Amino acid sequence: MLALPAVTADRLGMNEPRPLWQQLAGLAVLAAAAALSRRQPLASFALTAALGLAATPALFSVSYGPALGVFAVLLGLRAPRSRPAVTAFVAVALVGTARIALVGVDPPPEWLVLTGTLLFGCVFPWLCGRYWRQSRALAEAGWLKAARLEDEQRHAEERARLRERARIAQDMHDSLGHELSLLALRAAALQVSPGLATDHRAAAADLRAAAADATDHLHRIIGVLREDDEPVPLAPAGESVRQLVARAAESGLPVRWEEPSDTTAAEVPEPGGVTAHLLHRVVREALTNAARHAPGAPVVVAVRNHAHGTTVTVTNGPATQEATATRGGSGLLGLRAAVTSVGGDFRAGPHAEGFRVRAYVPAQRSTTSARQPAGSPAGTLTAVTAPFTRARRRVALGLGAAAGAGAVLVGAAFGWYAYTETHSVLTPAAYAKLRPGTPYDEVAPVLPDREAHDPPTDRAPAPPAGGHCRYYRASGELLVSIDHFRLCFDTPGRQGRLISKDVVPGVGRPDPDREESTENGGPTR
């Protein structure tokens, strides 16, 4: 396919005809470049560029221009580095400039054609190939990253599922532990009630011991599922702190609600919010610990509202009854993690002869955050695709700059080409009026401003001895082979006389017989 333009361009008159050996040599070079294009794309491009420079100093030719663009695309697609390609482009520009300076007929337009061909026919296709290569690499990396993100998301979901199970279990532990503690208090009250038979008292004592053992077993079985710094679950509590204190008092726990002097200071947030639930959990855990570790001790619950949050304090005195031996739990550690996670403050420790738990919970607007965490899959995907997006943008800008520069240069070169070609046209009517022997001053008014910049000297007959010939186009048609007129004068200056005129037919055009008289009376074409 790359050889097709090289074979048909001469036949269609889009190139000056070349000898057969030159066409065969060009086809051999294209075959070698095609054979090397996969393993040595730079060598393939260099061979094609050398072939184009050998055909024309301006690099642009219909025969080898398509092959040059194709191998430039393959160079960008298959070459991993860009520096060798840029070096090759610079080398082609330097060699082409040197050839134009040495053998060029009209250097300015030829240099513009060379620059436009180099940018629009080499650099731009090369950038397209690099963009294609980068797109394939990014697509492959994207699929790998997508698979990795799916694995990470699957593992994250599994961890979240296990963590949620642990939280549910811990919530069950806290809730059931509190209820079992209240059940033990009711059994203790039943045990010491007057008028109860001895066997009933023993049964009440057994019930109290069983409730305490059940609380300890519940902690050992479910409490191990929670990490030490894991926050308490934030499910709705279902009851207010006042209702919790009242229910504990009804169960026999000596607890009282302390009313402050300022009635607004005791307003507790409505149940269902984060603040109200945390306060409920703090009070419930503190009451449970007081019932287990300090039975019979009086407990005081106080709530204070502030400008930006709420403080709850649960204080119990020394135990008045013998406590059942139980293992230490991690409830306070979980509460500390939960309170500090929302920006609050939690303190628990001995106070006077008893124990005090104090928690400050700032006001919370929402239980969830709309901001994506940095380690979430969405955040990770954004961090991964950002460099790819910037790389695509850089390549797109490079393609746009190359296309724009190439379009400007090619447009300027074509405009210059059209200007020079249309201003070197000698009309057939004016040519027919010219007679050999006419002084140059009489011929000059009908001659165009410029001479043909690429005269067909290889197809023209031998010039007369001592003659100085000039070539002019017979029409203003562009990008096709047309007839040329050759006028030969005896001296190069304005003092000479016309000694011969000839018609050089274009490639593929008929060769008309035009008998003209020369200065010596011989026929000419």
Side-chain angles (χ1 to χ4, degrees):
M1 294 183 65
L2 295 179
L4 185 62
V7 173
T8 58
D10 293 352
R11 296 175 179 265
L12 296 178
M14 304 183 73
N15 278 338
E16 294 296 332
R18 296 167 298 164
L20 180 61
W21 70 269
Q22 289 185 3
Q23 297 184 22
L24 295 178
L27 294 179
V29 172
L30 288 180
L36 295 174
S37 62
R38 186 170 299 277
R39 295 186 177 181
Q40 299 292 333
L42 182 61
S44 299
F45 173 79
L47 286 175
T48 312
L51 185 61
L53 289 175
T56 171
L59 187 62
F60 176 78
S61 65
V62 179
S63 298
Y64 307 120
L68 185 67
V70 169
F71 286 117
V73 172
L74 296 179
L75 177 61
L77 179 62
R78 296 172 177 174
R81 296 186 302 168
S82 59
R83 183 172 298 179
V86 174
T87 304
F89 296 149
V90 174
V92 171
L94 294 178
V95 174
T97 302
R99 286 212 63 199
I100 290 174
L102 294 176
V103 300
V105 178
D106 197 358
E110 291 182 351
W111 188 84
L112 284 176
V113 172
L114 170 66
T115 306
T117 304
L118 189 63
L119 285 177
F120 208 67
C122 297
V123 177
F124 183 72
W126 172 72
L127 287 176
C128 290
R130 285 192 62 83
Y131 183 78
W132 189 4
R133 174 189 177 90
Q134 189 180 58
S135 297
R136 291 167 57 181
L138 292 180
E140 183 179 357
W143 283 113
L144 292 177
K145 179 57 66 176
R148 190 180 308 168
L149 287 177
E150 287 180 357
D151 292 339
E152 292 179 358
Q153 185 176 6
R154 185 167 55 253
H155 293 321
E157 290 176 354
E158 184 65 24
R159 290 194 299 269
R161 188 180 299 109
L162 294 177
R163 192 178 184 90
E164 186 63 22
R165 288 177 180 176
R167 291 192 179 193
I168 294 173
Q170 183 61 39
D171 195 15
M172 292 173 57
H173 165 266
D174 294 342
S175 300
L176 294 179
H178 178 73
E179 299 299 332
L180 289 175
S181 298
L182 295 183
L183 179 61
L185 288 176
R186 291 180 181 272
L190 180 62
Q191 180 184 0
V192 298
S193 63
L196 195 65
T198 303
D199 54 345
H200 291 169
R201 291 181 186 275
D206 294 339
L207 178 61
R208 176 185 176 187
D213 291 341
T215 303
D216 192 42
H217 292 164
L218 183 65
H219 168 72
R220 287 199 302 267
I221 295 173
I222 300 180
V224 295
L225 297 178
R226 186 215 283 173
E227 300 176 1
D228 291 342
D229 59 346
E230 185 178 358
V232 176
L234 299 182
E239 66 176 352
S240 65
V241 176
R242 284 180 177 270
Q243 294 172 345
L244 174 64
V245 173
R247 187 160 59 88
E250 293 175 357
S251 300
L253 184 67
V255 59
R256 65 181 179 87
W257 179 272
E258 184 180 82
E259 294 288 349
S261 57
D262 185 2
T263 56
T264 61
E267 294 180 358
V268 183
E270 292 294 329
V274 176
T275 302
H277 181 71
L278 278 177
L279 295 177
H280 183 278
R281 296 302 296 266
V282 169
V283 174
R284 187 177 66 182
E285 183 67 22
L287 294 180
T288 303
N289 290 339
R292 292 172 56 190
H293 303 292
V299 183
V300 179
V301 179
V303 178
R304 299 290 186 275
N305 269 344
H306 306 285
H308 303 288
T310 306
T311 301
V312 62
T313 305
V314 181
T315 308
N316 64 269
T320 60
Q321 303 175 14
E322 182 179 358
T324 305
T326 58
R327 297 179 55 186
S330 58
L332 294 181
L333 293 177
L335 288 176
R336 184 185 304 277
V339 173
T340 56
S341 67
V342 297
D345 179 69
F346 183 86
R347 298 179 184 179
H351 176 73
E353 297 181 0
F355 198 84
R356 169 176 287 182
V357 176
R358 180 184 180 276
Y360 167 74
V361 181
Q364 304 295 315
R365 295 183 180 179
S366 174
T367 59
T368 60
S369 176
R371 184 175 56 185
Q372 285 284 352
S376 64
T380 304
L381 182 60
T382 302
V384 168
T385 56
F388 294 164
T389 304
R390 289 194 294 268
R392 288 178 181 272
R393 187 179 297 113
R394 288 196 300 268
V395 173
L397 290 177
L399 289 174
V408 171
L409 289 175
V410 170
F414 186 80
W416 181 262
Y417 166 75
Y419 173 81
T420 56
E421 296 299 282
T422 54
H423 283 71
S424 62
V425 176
L426 177 61
T427 62
Y431 172 81
K433 294 180 181 180
L434 298 178
R435 295 290 182 269
T438 306
Y440 179 82
D441 291 339
E442 297 180 9
V443 176
V446 299
L447 296 180
D449 299 336
R450 301 177 59 88
E451 299 179 27
H453 76 279
D454 189 14
T457 55
D458 55 340
R459 301 196 310 271
H468 300 274
C469 300
R470 301 182 181 184
Y471 291 83
Y472 300 96
R473 295 170 59 87
S475 69
E477 297 180 74
L478 303 178
L479 301 178
V480 294
S481 181
I482 61 172
D483 296 343
H484 283 71
F485 297 139
R486 187 181 71 175
L487 304 180
C488 297
F489 297 86
D490 55 0
T491 60
R494 300 180 62 87
Q495 303 299 325
R497 291 177 175 272
L498 179 65
I499 59 176
S500 70
K501 65 176 186 176
D502 304 277
V503 177
V504 182
V507 178
R509 293 176 176 267
D511 190 2
D513 295 332
R514 302 190 181 190
E515 298 292 336
E516 296 292 345
S517 298
T518 61
E519 185 177 17
N520 55 13
T524 183
R525 291 190 170 195

